[in-house]
Amino acid sequence: MTGSLASARRAVARSRAGLAAALSSVLVAGTAAAQPAGPVDAPATPGFRVPYDAVTEQRLDNGLRLVVVEDPTQPLVDIAAALDVGGRLESLPAAAGTEWPPGIASFVASMLTRGGVGSMDGFTLAVQSEFRGAEVRSFGGRNRSGVLASGLATHLDQLVQWVALALTAPRFDAAEIDRYRANALRSLEGRYRTTGSIAEREWQALVFGADHGRARPLRMVDAEAWSVEAVRSFHSSFYRPERTVIAIAGSVDTSEVVRAFERHLGSWGNPGIPAPTGPSPEAVSSAAPGLYQFAVPAPQGTFVLGHLGARRASWQDREADAIALLSEIFAGGGPVSRLRGRLRDREGWVYGVSGAVGIGSLEPGLVQAAWSVAPENAVASLGAALEEIERLRRLEPPAQEIAVARRTMVEALPTLFDTAEEIAGRYAEDLLLNRPHSFWQDRAARLRAVGADDIRRAARKWLRPEDLIVVWVGPALPRREIQRLGFERIVDLPARDPRSLEPVRLRP
Amino acid sequence: MTHSRRAGLLMMRTAVRVGFLGILVLAGHEPGIAQPEENASANGPVASQDWLPVQSFQLGNGVRLHVVRRPLSAWVSAGWAVRAGAADDPVGGSGTAHLVEHLLYTGTPSVGTRDWRAEQPLLEEEARLVEELLDRDSAADRSRLAQVRSRLGRLQQPGDLARRWAAAGIRSEGALTTKDFSLYRASFPLSGLGTWFELELERLARPAFRLLAREQDVVVEENLQRVASVPQAPVEERFDRFFWGQSPYGRPPDDAGELVRVLRRQLQAFHRLHYRPENIVVAVVGDVEPLEVLEVARSTFGTLAATTDVVAPENSSIESAGAAPNQPRWSAAPAGRREVARCDCRPSARIRFPAVPYEDPDAVAFDVLAAVLNGRSGRLMQGLVGSRSEVFAAYASHKAQARAGTFSVVTEAVQNTVDQGLLEGFIAALRAQLQSLVAEETALRPAELERARNMLLASAAREVKASDALRSRLLIDDALGDGERLRRWSQRVEAVTLDQLTALVRRFLVPGRGESVPGVEFLVLHESGAVSGGGSP
């Protein structure tokens, strides 16, 4: 047994000793029930250690990094090949000074497996994998792209081969590209059918600027510009071993895993083209703060409000920990969420509230809150949310509230490492982000070092009413009531063409 | 250059062996776990016979308990479910099951109040005033109600339960109510196990039923968010009504008009009727000793008294009044053979057939049949998507509920502008695909069965990798009437034969000679004139 597992076991044993005592002390009758039982700041998992000792890291000669976690308790093996590739790179210049078509990164990622690999077309790959009960698929987002394969551990070599072919030899067949582009276009049609999805789209466009890569939704006109040449060019420019970390977890033997990857990806080399560097974060062009509404008849409307957030200065950035605690208190998933406590638990206006004071590592995070609410309670709910923001800025949170928030976050740490797949995945993400492996282990101590004044300081800096961009999608709100909340700028958003998403007419 | 930080799990490897029989071998549970001595009932314990080390028990009062020990997990996922859901709502009391679920978060006589002795009579007065106001509006009663609520507001402590959970490191993962059950979930460090059991017992056994009006508002909002704001959802509810007729599965859950009129005493009656030990199942997954969990369960949920004076609510439906768990089985009673609806969604054609309830031995065969038809290399994609350019997707779905089940085949159109004639063509094509399953020259082949089995076995293993997912699976299986499902899954899937599938198709999905065509056809056309993309109101 490894050191970390052994210490985790010891902690569990200590916890067990306290079980009987806990059983008899939970409930107290009558009025004594008013206060939580026991100190909230004492972590219930004091001995939890991030189980990175279960990880084996290997680097092949071509720079490809493997992260392996053996877990013989389940019959599967999961392989996640993650690349430092995504829509973020579309802002880099393409060959000969041209630009990448918007959305190309995501489309290339989707074609890694769908269009077939090596000598197999997409259908043959499906026949082969489905017969074995395996899944092979690819993914692409703003910062990451890659291939996922999952199957029975006895099929390890086959799975590794499919992953290798998807990374190095996707077919990008013209007919398949046409077919999947057509499917992508069809899928676009149904994206904006709810008030929530429309509100989120409009808010992103207002916060970043309509042409920013994080805000620009994929449009049909973009998809029509994807060519076979562009797909191949993007792939050869960015899909490289040095940008790749592969996490493997399951009922495997590490030496077998390494041999399989050496066999199938050991010769994956540099294509001879210099790797593009960067990019720098794209310039943001936020709209003026204010309330923007898109009037649409609906039984319930949606608010999204917020502004740009912080970017982490370093992995030792102390402000980041204060922001994390502020986020938990503002609208986190634990019991202290101020917004949920007010809008749902106290007023009963909403079913749920989501939100965060976000902090990004590659790009700035987002400060955001969102909720759906009946039109008759809309203005009141917005007013209440603004009051909660103001209260966080004005007053230090009580020690008890901070303690519960901190404990919620610390106690949740083990859930991030519940399976071998999660352990391997998080370790791999450390490598891709250059995040120290000690980051998670030290998190509890860092959070304990955050004081009430740190949180209030973070609130004053990162919850700024004067910068709020508020979007409402639902029945039109009464302007006078909105103005009473302090919004001087109230803008009606235009309807948009569903293909181009360009405004089709301006509302009066 | 190779850089290695290897530390391995060799001991683990020798602790649990997982191999393959055909494709998956059924491995025994971990050695060293003593068989529990609890033999209070004929049902427990049952030795694990599948690759998951599930330990199942039944307490003396009827509560069922499933425990899975996961040595790698430093966190425990737990939950409990009650075998009663929206289909058990009394007639005229839509939303009752859902409201009870919500009110279980508002506390008990010892949680969520500053002074229960002062609060209790006020709660009763509030309930009486609400009932009178629903019967006859009166300014005096309204005024009095406002006063009572104001006083209650000073006594009640919303969020107290959540704070107690937090103090023990317990993270609530919320609850859900389906047609057949309500399910309550949480996760915590091992040290929180006892607290979790005690607090859950407290709210299960002694809910205070406070803050009803607030939760009625919240459930209405929830329903708006989940149904009224999603274009496809009202169509699905309409199809359900059409298919099930007067069966409780056909009643739309959480009808706002009825929900806001549900009374506190009706909720209490529902709770008394359904929240009794024999309807309760608990699941715990984590690095726990099953016998220790059993002890804690016995000292908490095991004390839950069996209800002997169960009385059905006055307006209870015949189906739910005093019914045993998951009984009786219900039948579809379609209002016709075909229903057509429009919405701002992708046009589609589907045929829905009555199938079997969750616990029926044929349920797994329907799962295998769906796997035969599904996937890119499955029959429907090959037969329909590959050959017809108008088809966007084609798939089968099997939905087994506690008291009845359905099997559906669906085709979605590429274009929004399709007319009803094309969708009727889709229906004919789907029926032809089903017919081909039993036609001599295109009958099911052994390789198709093998593929389907492999897909199901691997996907089951995939589905329960995470502790919380495994916990929920165990609860749902039991709540739907088949607590053995996961543990027996491999055996059951392996046991399905081609002959069984063929018989199933003949019995449920294709007409015999001289018989009428089975199944109800649903056609969804795109809303005429609607602009996709939320672009215009």
Side-chain angles (χ1 to χ4, degrees), chain B residues 53-266:
Chain B
V54 183
Q55 298 265 296
S56 298
F57 309 91
Q58 186 158 358
L59 307 184
N61 59 354
V63 170
R64 294 175 304 288
L65 170 69
H66 303 289
V67 187
V68 179
R69 180 160 182 250
R70 288 211 150 165
L72 279 178
S73 297
W75 195 258
V76 178
S77 291
W80 60 279
V82 58
R83 281 182 173 183
D88 301 288
D89 285 346
V91 172
S94 178
T96 300
H98 196 177
L99 280 169
V100 170
E101 174 229 296
H102 274 239
L103 292 190
L104 257 61
Y105 285 84
T106 62
T108 73
S110 61
V111 178
T113 184
R114 290 184 171 83
D115 184 348
W116 175 243
R117 272 183 290 188
E119 186 191 5
Q120 186 179 22
L122 288 172
L123 282 173
E124 286 166 6
E125 185 175 2
E126 180 195 32
R128 182 183 57 75
L129 288 166
V130 167
E131 201 163 343
E132 286 175 10
L133 281 165
L134 285 173
D135 191 41
R136 182 178 51 85
D137 199 10
S138 139
D141 281 351
R142 285 197 176 282
S143 170
R144 177 62 190 154
L145 182 61
Q147 288 173 17
V148 168
R149 285 187 170 155
S150 172
R151 289 175 63 190
L152 281 170
R154 289 192 290 275
L155 292 168
Q156 292 169 339
Q157 291 186 300
D160 187 31
L161 182 62
R163 283 192 289 273
R164 286 163 181 274
W165 277 330
I170 295 166
R171 192 168 67 168
S172 170
E173 293 172 0
L176 62 94
T177 294
T178 71
K179 292 276 175 79
D180 288 309
F181 60 85
S182 288
L183 190 156
Y184 303 80
R185 299 165 295 199
S187 57
F188 40 80
L190 184 58
S191 60
L193 183 70
T195 307
W196 179 78
F197 263 106
E198 289 226 347
L199 283 171
E200 294 304 273
L201 170 67
E202 170 73 3
R203 66 175 177 149
L204 160 60
R206 299 198 304 154
F209 293 104
R210 60 169 66 95
L211 294 167
L212 171 58
R214 184 195 75 180
E215 291 307 313
Q216 283 170 319
D217 289 345
V218 168
V219 173
V220 168
E221 286 298 316
E222 180 181 353
N223 201 37
L224 285 174
Q225 198 167 318
R226 287 187 174 166
V227 180
S229 302
V230 181
Q232 182 81 18
V235 172
E236 296 299 328
E237 288 196 349
R238 177 172 160 182
F239 285 169
D240 277 345
R241 280 198 300 276
F242 188 87
F243 184 83
W244 291 107
Q246 293 305 307
S247 156
Y249 280 154
R251 294 201 300 257
D254 299 345
D255 176 89
E258 293 184 13
L259 188 144
V260 296
R261 300 175 68 88
V262 171
L263 303 172
R264 185 167 181 261
R265 63 180 169 81
Q266 292 170 322

Side-chain angles (χ1 to χ4, degrees), chain A residues 33 57 70 130 345 411 495, chain B residues 3 13 75 110 164 214 377:
Chain A
E57 181 187 337
E70 298 180 4
E130 288 177 359
D345 297 344
E411 297 290 3
Chain B
H3 167 62
R13 186 176 292 135
W75 195 258
S110 61
R164 286 163 181 274
R214 184 195 75 180
S377 62

